[in-house]
Amino acid sequence: MTHLLHLDASARTTSVSRRLGAEFVRAWRAAAPEGEYTYRDLSAEPTPFIGAGWTELCDAVLAAGATDLDRLPELATTPAAKQAWRIVEPLLAQLLAADVILIGTPMYNYSIPAALKAWLDQVTFPRMSLGHRRFVVVSARGGAYSPGAPKAAFDYQERYLRDFFAGHFAVTDTVFVHAELANAVQDPNLAHLRAEHESSLAAALTEVTTLAKDYVR
Ligand SMILES: Cc1cc2nc3c(=O)[nH]c(=O)nc-3n(C[C@H](O)[C@H](O)[C@H](O)COP(=O)(O)O)c2cc1C
């Protein structure tokens, strides 16, 4: 049965990306009642930033030419690297146990929140492949970045994650669903875009409901 790992990265508790992720999970659970589900809120329960010990571990991986993640514990030889491994181990175990990784993320400053980046830094090691795993990213943005939008070229959120998963995890089939123009809800100057936001959100909710059924083995 499929094991879904669900990560949320929004600093907001009432958040659009959280709503999209929750809808994916609702539809996924309905389609796969036997499926295993693990949740982590990266904003409420952040992973620490990597430190010197993590870099010592990573340098040891590079020096050994290691391609097998099982070798990480033996390559953590210094006290700092051992300490870093104690943080990495449960995060990596949680990631490797999953078949599908659902990430709910806002766009922050044209990119991803630091909370999500901190998690990626912890779990990513050189030459690591997550080959058979699949990623789904559900996101919210204050503005509009779809093809043709004036700021489309500023979307370093989807581009970054897409290239990251392909380049570091050898995963090339990541699906992205975005709800756009979310700032129209709070910003009176964007009130004229509220209807457009509502229809973007409605379309995104419909898309994740349908999509979730494709992630049941
Ligand atoms: C720190 C911060 C930075 C943001 N940067 C951007 C941005 O660069 N572009 C954008 O379109 N919206 C930006 N926004 C707006 C968010 O993308 C928008 O509020 C979205 O709904 C956040 O997702 P959430 O509802 O899941 O929290 C930013 C919001 C915050 C709090």
Side-chain angles (χ1 to χ4, degrees):
M1 248 304 161
T2 310
H3 186 153
L4 175 65
L5 171 62
H6 176 195
L7 305 172
D8 264 324
S10 173
R12 280 201 183 94
T13 47
T14 309
S15 118
V16 177
S17 60
R18 286 176 187 273
R19 189 170 162 196
L20 292 174
E23 172 53 20
F24 182 101
V25 171
R26 190 206 57 75
W28 180 83
R29 277 187 187 282
E34 310 282 299
E36 218 175 313
Y37 175 72
T38 305
Y39 178 72
R40 177 156 189 159
D41 187 333
L42 294 173
S43 177
E45 206 195 325
T47 57
F49 291 152
I50 59 162
W54 190 98
T55 64
E56 287 171 21
L57 176 55
C58 184
D59 290 348
V61 170
L62 286 170
T67 54
D68 186 351
L69 288 167
D70 289 344
R71 291 194 59 199
L72 285 173
E74 92 196 40
L75 291 167
T77 52
T78 64
K82 283 183 202 292
Q83 175 59 30
W85 173 241
R86 279 194 280 278
I87 295 168
V88 168
E89 186 178 21
L91 296 174
L92 209 46
Q94 200 172 52
L95 173 60
L96 296 176
D99 312 290
V100 180
I101 298 96
L102 168 67
I103 299 178
T105 182
M107 174 185 278
Y108 282 171
N109 300 320
Y110 299 131
S111 183
I112 61 169
L116 177 55
K117 181 64 165 53
W119 179 81
L120 287 171
D121 286 349
Q122 288 286 358
V123 299
T124 306
F125 286 86
R127 294 184 288 264
M128 165 178 166
S129 168
L130 290 182
H132 75 275
R133 290 174 184 80
R134 298 198 290 166
F135 284 78
V136 177
V137 177
V138 293
S139 99
R141 292 99 174 265
Y145 301 86
S146 305
K151 286 171 91 176
F154 289 70
D155 179 2
Y156 298 101
Q157 181 205 35
E158 173 171 335
R159 192 180 327 153
Y160 171 71
L161 289 173
R162 189 182 291 288
D163 289 351
F164 186 89
F165 295 146
H168 276 293
F169 294 163
V171 173
T172 55
D173 59 354
T174 302
V175 173
F176 290 82
V177 180
H178 304 289
E180 299 208 305
L181 295 166
N183 279 358
V185 175
Q186 291 94 18
D187 186 344
N189 294 317
L190 300 176
H192 60 289
L193 295 172
R194 275 181 200 159
E196 221 177 307
H197 164 65
E198 286 305 326
S199 71
S200 172
L201 175 57
L205 284 166
T206 303
E207 196 176 340
V208 295
T209 309
T210 309
L211 191 64
K213 297 169 190 122
D214 294 342
Y215 290 82
V216 178
R217 226 200 326 260

